Amino acid sequence: MKFVDEFRDPEMAKNALDRIHALVKEIPKAQQQPLQIMEVCGGHTHSIFRYGLEELLPKEIELVHGPGCPVCVLPMGRVDDCVAIAEQPDVIFTTFGDAMRVPGSKKSLQDAKAAGCDVRMVYSPMDALNIARQHPDKRVVFFGLGFETTMPSTALTIKQAEKEGIENFYLFCNHVTIIPTIKAILDSPDMYIDGFLGPGHVSMVIGEAPYRFIAASYQRPLIIAGFEPLDVLQSLVMLLEQLRDGKAEIENQYKRIVPDGGNHAALKAVGEIFELREFFEWRGLGSIDHSGVQIKAAYARFDAEREFALPNVNIADPKSCQCGEVLKGVIKPWQCKVFGKQCTPETPLGALMVSTEGACSAYYSYGKINHQQLDR
Amino acid sequence: MCLGIPGQIIAIVDAQEQAGLVNVSGVKREVNLACVAPEDGDWNVLVGRWTLVHVGFAMSLIDEEEAQRTLEILAELGELQEELAAMTNTDTGQVSP
């Protein structure tokens, strides 16, 4: 266990790992085939790779890296929509930095910027609103991305724009919502997940209650987990104890950040501005019912989808790119044909290589890239 | 974007606008406080508190020890520098890179 001394509290990490190794021996199913445990959130994926946690776990556990990286699940056609908006002559297109390099079918936002479009990286949707204040002659569009963690910030920004009567600010809303996504995974015939590590900061907003159906209807446990490596290990202990005892409950390991009821002010803002879409298209996972949100009619004048004619075309990933199979956990990142060859963090073909929270980028940066593996 | 970054609230800029000034590892930035609004409306109780900031919005109040631990782990993940750079480098369009 060579990595253990990297932990802030090596003794606790070692104890948790000893518990994990002992617990899997007490779970009969794990003796037949590895337990499939999904970390839903990209932040966990990043932490797991950075600290080499997979290599410390017993062979009876297989971690499945879930779809919780908002940039990674963007279909190519959505990037094309962004570029189409940015190419309008009177538009300033604003986005989080993560989305700049995601390839569209022809170009990324970064390419569009290089070709002369006014595309700007912002840290916060409030910065985008500020640009709108400074440029009343331009239409300023913010590319809204993320799960419930960032949804309240976008909602509050729209409320602010409404309050100030700003008329040149638009949201291209691509926010996604976690619960229907987990349900789609549970309903997928391709995969069987024995238990989940739940996202920490999404839960900080939505609280514990929305997950209860996972235990009640699907009899699977979920542990809301923090991002430190020790949090991940302790959450795995809690999950394995449930599996050993034949239990399926929602537990909260991250109580220091996640209140049971979530954040009331944040949920209120989200509820005022957004409503569920009928369906939303995901890279790799296809269309998932009610998995995205859109702007409510009362705030329609801020909706970029109403203001701009979007191509809105479904574009399949390039054949060589296997992001979809990696997202579903069907193959490991390094098993993709182009991993580490045509597709690297410098020249990403697929979104999973773009974001540091993407499994491919994380594996490329921290995993042991063995050329024999690549040559297979 | 999703991990957020801890900072200390050092001033209330405008209670009406729910805006505060937060110090994140030496970088000072205006942050929206709507999601951590005090129930009794006395915004000054927030001054000195630590908060987890996501894309310019304070999303929860945390204790100082948690803040320091989170800053350390973000540094180890390489996210601290990235987040601080993003905070300070919002592209105002003045200089084209």
Side-chain angles (χ1 to χ4, degrees):
Chain A
M1 291 189 194
K2 54 196 151 63
F3 292 110
V4 163
D5 37 330
E6 262 199 39
F7 287 84
R8 217 168 312 278
D9 189 335
E11 193 61 30
M12 282 177 83
K14 191 178 174 307
N15 286 344
L17 277 165
D18 288 347
R19 285 288 292 145
I20 290 169
H21 281 262
L23 277 163
V24 291
K25 300 284 181 253
E26 299 175 44
I27 302 172
K29 187 186 169 189
Q31 315 315 313
Q32 319 297 321
Q33 51 182 322
L35 298 168
Q36 304 290 304
I37 296 176
M38 175 178 276
E39 87 276 5
V40 179
C41 170
H44 286 140
T45 304
H46 191 171
S47 196
I48 285 164
F49 282 106
R50 165 65 181 81
Y51 295 96
L53 297 187
E54 280 187 312
E55 293 170 49
L56 303 177
L57 296 178
K59 61 178 184 339
E60 289 89 347
I61 294 179
E62 207 165 287
L63 294 178
V64 182
H65 314 302
C69 159
V71 172
C72 304
V73 297
L74 275 181
M76 268 192 167
R78 207 67 53 69
V79 178
D80 290 356
D81 290 344
C82 291
V83 170
I85 296 173
E87 283 175 342
Q88 305 295 313
D90 61 341
V91 162
I92 301 174
F93 193 90
T94 62
T95 173
F96 294 138
D98 310 40
M100 284 291 273
R101 297 194 306 130
V102 181
S105 68
K106 294 188 190 68
K107 46 179 115 164
S108 65
L109 281 166
Q110 185 161 281
D111 299 333
K113 184 181 173 77
C117 295
D118 196 343
V119 179
R120 302 185 191 181
M121 265 195 267
V122 290
Y123 163 68
S124 166
M126 282 295 198
D127 296 341
L129 187 62
N130 207 23
I131 294 173
R133 285 188 199 104
Q134 291 162 355
H135 298 275
D137 53 326
K138 301 271 190 183
R139 292 184 289 176
V140 176
V141 182
F142 175 69
F143 185 31
L145 270 184
F147 284 89
E148 280 86 344
T149 315
T150 52
M151 219 184 267
S153 59
T154 314
L156 288 162
T157 304
I158 297 278
K159 284 184 66 169
Q160 184 70 24
E162 163 88 3
K163 189 172 142 195
E164 290 181 40
I166 295 175
E167 290 180 352
N168 63 326
F169 180 72
Y170 303 91
L171 169 67
F172 183 32
C173 181
N174 279 263
H175 284 295
V176 282
T177 174
I178 196 77
I179 295 299
T181 311
I182 295 180
K183 187 169 183 306
I185 288 165
L186 286 164
D187 288 334
S188 166
D190 290 359
M191 49 211 295
Y192 185 92
I193 304 295
D194 293 287
F196 294 89
L197 297 184
H201 293 154
V202 165
S203 308
M204 164 186 81
V205 173
I206 68 174
E208 271 185 47
Y211 298 109
R212 284 184 195 143
F213 78 99
I214 298 170
S217 307
Y218 291 87
Q219 289 80 47
R220 293 326 143 68
L222 178 143
I223 315 291
I224 296 168
F227 296 94
E228 292 187 38
L230 191 56
D231 288 327
V232 174
L233 295 179
Q234 286 174 341
S235 300
L236 282 171
V237 169
M238 292 164 77
L239 193 66
L240 292 170
E241 283 173 345
Q242 286 202 37
L243 290 173
R244 177 198 59 190
D245 299 339
K247 284 187 185 163
E249 289 169 9
I250 309 305
E251 284 186 280
N252 184 359
Q253 182 271 340
Y254 201 29
K255 280 191 191 290
R256 58 188 198 270
I257 296 285
V258 177
D260 289 354
N263 186 312
H264 180 70
L267 288 173
K268 186 164 168 275
V270 165
E272 260 180 81
I273 304 294
F274 297 121
E275 62 190 7
L276 290 179
R277 288 176 193 263
E278 238 172 279
F279 57 87
F280 202 60
E281 188 73 23
W282 294 60
R283 174 182 281 233
L285 303 173
S287 175
I288 303 178
D289 286 355
H290 305 133
S291 61
V293 298
Q294 62 193 9
I295 299 176
K296 281 183 171 174
Y299 294 86
R301 70 186 177 90
F302 298 105
D303 192 346
E305 286 172 76
R306 294 180 196 233
E307 175 70 11
F308 297 91
L310 299 178
N312 200 8
V313 175
N314 273 344
I315 309 234
D317 281 342
K319 280 213 167 54
S320 57
C321 175
Q322 295 177 284
C323 279
E325 286 157 272
V326 175
L327 271 174
K328 286 204 275 189
V330 178
I331 63 168
K332 297 286 171 192
W334 57 269
Q335 291 171 319
C336 172
K337 291 188 287 291
V338 291
F339 175 84
K341 295 178 191 160
Q342 293 95 317
C343 189
T344 66
E346 288 72 41
T347 55
L349 284 183
L352 285 175
M353 198 53 110
V354 175
S355 166
T356 52
E357 293 182 1
C360 293
S361 165
Y363 195 87
Y364 186 91
S365 303
Y366 305 119
K368 294 214 173 59
I369 298 168
N370 177 328
H371 283 280
Q372 281 175 328
Q373 280 179 351
L374 291 183
D375 291 342
R376 250 179 238 167
Chain B
M1 162 164 72
C2 299
L3 288 182
I5 191 163
Q8 190 173 25
I9 301 169
I10 52 176
I12 302 300
V13 177
D14 185 339
Q16 203 69 30
E17 298 291 329
Q18 305 180 316
L21 195 64
V22 171
N23 180 349
V24 181
S25 294
V27 173
K28 296 191 180 81
R29 161 161 188 129
E30 197 174 304
V31 158
N32 182 294
L33 302 173
C35 294
V36 296
E39 276 172 26
D40 60 1
D42 179 9
W43 290 89
N44 289 318
V45 300
L46 292 178
V47 176
R49 296 289 308 269
W50 288 81
T51 176
L52 200 54
V53 179
H54 288 259
V55 301
F57 290 74
M59 295 302 295
S60 70
L61 295 173
I62 56 181
D63 64 35
E64 183 168 359
E65 191 193 338
E66 173 71 16
Q68 296 306 343
R69 276 213 322 243
T70 306
L71 284 168
E72 281 172 42
I73 191 168
L74 288 174
E76 284 175 14
L77 288 171
E79 301 253 348
L80 181 62
Q81 287 66 21
E82 211 172 283
E83 192 82 4
L84 289 174
M87 261 186 185
T88 44
N89 288 345
T90 270
D91 184 355
T92 52
Q94 261 81 345
V95 192
S96 63

